[in-house]
Amino acid sequence: MVTVRARVLLRAVLLAVVVVASGFLAWWSWRTSAALAALGDRSVIESTALLVREKIDRVEATIIAGDNAVLHLVNPDDLDTLAQRWPDLAERISPTVRSVLVLDEALRPLRVVAHREDDDRFELVAWVTGGRLEGLDLAGKEVGAHSHWHGAVDGRSVLLSYFTRESAGRHYYVVLEADVDYIRSELLPKLFDDPLARGRFNITDENHRLVIGRSLRSAGGFVVSAPFPTTLYNWQLAVAPRRAPELAARSRRRGVIEGSYVGASLLVILAGVSFLLFAARQEEQLNTLKSDFIATVSHELKTPLSLIRMFGEMLAGDRAPTPEKRAQYLDIIVRESERLSALIENVLDFARLEQGRAAYEFTAADLGATVRRDVEAFRFRENRERPALVVEIADDIAPVRLDARAMQVLLFNLLDNAFKYAGDTDAVFVRARQEGARAVVEVEDRGPGIDPDDARRIFERFYRGRAVRSGGPRGTGIGLSLVKHIARAHGGDVTARAASPTGTIFRVAIPVGG
Ligand code: ADP
């Protein structure tokens, strides 16, 4: 047999294991779903990164192609051709180049050409020869090198491509100033005018100011950005996935929704387990009550039986000294058998009730007369002086529908309890009267009353008061549950309240009328 302590310990361990296991499960599913969502997000980000790379490559390729086209026209020995031909060709072959500066070996300007009339060519000369462009290293590059300088000059974004060349054993340098305004207002809008990128990109300059496009703040963490690696290297291109705002909102929502799902499932599991443990405990308590019941019923049966047997044997052996004694023994035998029948009746009624077989036969009856008759039968059975049974029955109670046998069981149980628990007090009162549409029967004793700790449970089957369980008057714990069932079967109910100054009043109220 597992002891109670071991069982309690087992339950605590089981609960702890379930809590830990469901916590782990919750954490695991949370993590897995977060990883899955991250995987989905990552594939969106990766395809956006591809788009970024492709756009950057195309911008740079266009700029470099323009540079190379101009470079082909540069011949240090015949710069006039460049000056004459390039402006006419520029719009077609190198729209991204604004002006060209050719310098000799000693970095002296040989020729400067701009392809648009209004361009200030000499600005370029001043920048290159004036040493204002930090990091621009014309003479330091090898022959054939193609380098870029990108930065802000006088608040304007300037992009230079510069080359080191050689002709007839002498170095010369070509510096091309990119037409940043053209790049911004013509090239970039054209490049980004496709369904994949439209409205979802921007380019920012070295001061994080928008060069083109719009703010992508609503896209949250899903924006992919990269600098232009070679040409416009101070600028940054950013692209947001098409569903970026939705993704950002989803990832915000996911945290909340999944958190609540996981939390709710955890709660359900815990509630389920607690309920099971609670049900197991209830079942256990009921089993204990049942075995107590069997023990007390057996004992209750044994006591009158041994009395009957003892006095029966005395009579059979003709051992009664006087005729009075003989009559007394017979009386004891009759009373004890009645007590025994009542107990057996009670147990059988209870068994029928438990099996759902309780059957009532209702007939219209005079409640006052029924109560009076039952009280007399009880008085005869008890045959004792104290406590006195005081009966107060109103004679104007309207007829009620009742099952006379069940009503007797109800009254006998209430009276039995009153006698049992009131001990040596003076009187037990039985009252019957009509209160509005209800007929009321009250049984009041002057005993010690019901312990407040027990009050809530006395009508439960097998429940016995704490004080009487150890010592106290004997009982089976089924009396009041029978009373309650019978009262309810009559369409009424039973309540118990404290009497003044001491004692208890049980009040059964059932509807009057047929
Ligand atoms: P029992 O066989 O124990 O009397 P009952 O179902 O009749 O079972 O009553 C349940 C419990 O209610 C009793 O064990 C007792 O503690 C309490 N009780 C019932 N009637 C009275 C009463 N008249 N006075 C005090 N306590 C009572």
Side-chain angles (χ1 to χ4, degrees):
M1 270 296 273
V2 189
T3 64
V4 176
R5 269 190 64 181
R7 247 190 328 248
V8 169
L9 198 71
L10 203 70
R11 256 189 227 132
V13 170
L14 179 70
L15 191 65
V17 168
V18 171
V19 168
V20 170
S22 22
F24 178 74
L25 204 69
W27 171 80
W28 186 259
S29 35
W30 164 272
R31 220 186 69 141
T32 313
S33 96
L36 276 177
L39 217 63
D41 292 352
R42 199 175 322 138
S43 79
V44 171
I45 287 176
E46 272 165 13
S47 61
T48 310
L50 275 179
L51 183 67
V52 168
R53 184 111 313 275
E54 192 242 354
K55 293 296 177 196
I56 286 176
D57 287 351
R58 282 183 59 189
V59 172
E60 296 218 307
T62 311
I63 294 173
I64 290 169
D67 291 351
N68 287 335
V70 180
L71 199 64
H72 278 120
L73 296 175
V74 177
N75 175 356
D77 303 321
D78 177 15
L79 290 171
D80 289 341
T81 310
L82 171 77
Q84 282 155 14
R85 286 191 60 206
W86 180 59
D88 294 338
L89 293 174
E91 215 59 69
R92 193 158 51 80
I93 64 165
S94 57
T96 51
V97 181
R98 185 178 169 213
S99 42
V100 183
L101 167 65
V102 183
L103 304 110
D104 69 9
E105 206 168 19
L107 295 176
R108 276 190 305 261
L110 294 174
R111 184 67 66 97
V112 59
V113 187
H115 92 78
R116 289 189 190 91
E117 288 292 303
D118 53 347
D119 275 352
D120 185 359
R121 307 168 271 157
F122 300 105
E123 214 174 37
L124 174 62
V125 181
W127 288 339
V128 173
T129 55
R132 281 182 62 195
L133 308 184
E134 202 179 315
L136 179 74
D137 180 19
L138 280 186
K141 306 287 180 191
E142 286 173 12
V143 175
H146 180 179
S147 314
H148 294 92
W149 185 92
H150 183 217
V153 183
D154 300 336
R156 225 174 75 191
S157 202
V158 171
L159 170 64
L160 303 180
S161 299
Y162 56 98
F163 305 82
T164 309
R165 296 269 141 153
E166 199 178 61
S167 171
R170 280 183 306 152
H171 285 177
Y172 69 96
Y173 305 96
V174 182
V175 180
L176 310 178
E177 186 200 350
D179 190 340
V180 177
D181 286 339
Y182 171 84
I183 293 175
R184 186 189 352 236
S185 57
E186 303 274 336
L187 175 65
L188 293 177
K190 222 180 288 160
L191 271 181
F192 285 93
D193 187 26
D194 66 41
L196 282 177
R198 202 176 303 142
R200 306 189 283 117
F201 79 97
N202 72 31
I203 292 175
T204 43
D205 67 11
E206 51 280 340
N207 296 318
H208 308 289
R209 277 188 310 241
L210 274 181
V211 175
I212 180 172
R214 62 191 185 86
S215 160
L216 300 176
R217 221 167 287 147
S218 65
F222 289 89
V223 174
V224 178
S225 59
F228 290 84
T230 316
T231 55
L232 296 156
Y233 51 73
N234 283 319
W235 285 7
Q236 186 102 8
L237 168 65
V239 176
R242 197 198 319 259
R243 288 163 46 229
E246 195 187 312
L247 288 175
R250 200 189 66 188
S251 87
R252 272 195 304 275
R253 265 199 322 264
R254 206 193 59 222
V256 178
I257 292 177
E258 280 176 12
S260 16
Y261 280 169
V262 170
S265 344
L266 209 62
L267 273 183
V268 169
I269 293 176
L270 288 182
V273 171
S274 315
F275 176 74
L276 283 182
L277 290 179
F278 173 74
R281 220 178 90 96
Q282 294 282 90
E283 188 65 26
E284 214 169 81
Q285 277 178 351
L286 194 63
N287 282 340
T288 321
L289 288 176
K290 274 185 185 165
S291 31
D292 287 356
F293 167 72
I294 292 170
T296 29
V297 166
S298 324
H299 202 277
E300 293 284 286
L301 291 173
K302 241 171 95 186
T303 321
L305 263 180
S306 15
L307 283 174
I308 292 170
R309 195 167 157 199
M310 189 176 89
F311 288 104
E313 278 173 2
M314 283 172 84
L315 288 175
D318 220 3
R319 277 186 277 145
T322 59
E324 290 79 41
K325 280 284 171 203
R326 195 182 150 79
Q328 196 187 346
Y329 293 171
L330 275 172
D331 197 41
I332 291 173
I333 290 176
V334 171
R335 266 184 235 293
E336 287 307 316
S337 350
E338 283 210 5
R339 203 184 293 275
L340 204 57
S341 310
L343 177 65
I344 292 171
E345 280 291 305
N346 239 12
V347 173
L348 287 179
D349 278 336
F350 179 74
R352 270 196 289 273
L353 201 137
E354 281 285 282
Q355 293 163 1
R357 290 191 296 114
Y360 295 91
E361 273 177 33
F362 295 103
T363 46
D366 176 349
L367 183 71
T370 310
V371 170
R372 195 166 285 125
R373 197 177 52 235
D374 293 342
V375 169
E376 286 317 311
F378 184 80
R379 210 197 292 270
F380 170 75
R381 198 186 87 182
E382 279 303 312
N383 188 32
R384 41 173 164 146
E385 298 282 307
R386 271 158 59 103
L389 251 172
V390 183
V391 184
E392 297 163 6
I393 292 175
D395 47 18
D396 57 350
I397 308 173
V400 293
R401 280 182 67 76
L402 56 80
D403 178 323
R405 206 194 72 81
M407 200 43 85
Q408 188 183 50
V409 172
L410 179 147
L411 259 179
F412 271 28
N413 271 295
L414 291 180
L415 288 170
D416 209 34
N417 280 351
F419 272 65
K420 213 160 56 173
Y421 297 112
D424 248 359
T425 54
D426 288 340
V428 166
F429 301 87
V430 180
R431 300 187 195 97
R433 61 178 178 278
Q434 185 170 340
E435 285 179 6
R438 314 230 121 203
V440 172
V441 179
E442 275 181 358
V443 176
E444 177 179 343
D445 65 61
R446 292 271 177 266
I450 294 168
D451 192 325
D453 287 344
D454 294 328
R456 209 168 37 88
R457 302 192 59 190
I458 52 169
F459 291 103
E460 283 176 23
R461 55 201 184 141
F462 305 129
Y463 188 81
R464 303 210 64 221
R466 277 157 219 241
V468 299
R469 249 178 279 160
S470 45
R474 306 190 61 80
T476 53
I478 59 174
L480 287 183
S481 76
L482 263 175
V483 168
K484 188 173 186 98
H485 194 274
I486 293 169
R488 290 204 165 163
H490 281 77
D493 211 345
V494 55
T495 51
R497 65 175 199 275
S500 150
T502 60
T504 316
I505 303 176
F506 282 91
R507 179 178 193 271
V508 178
I510 58 174
V512 292

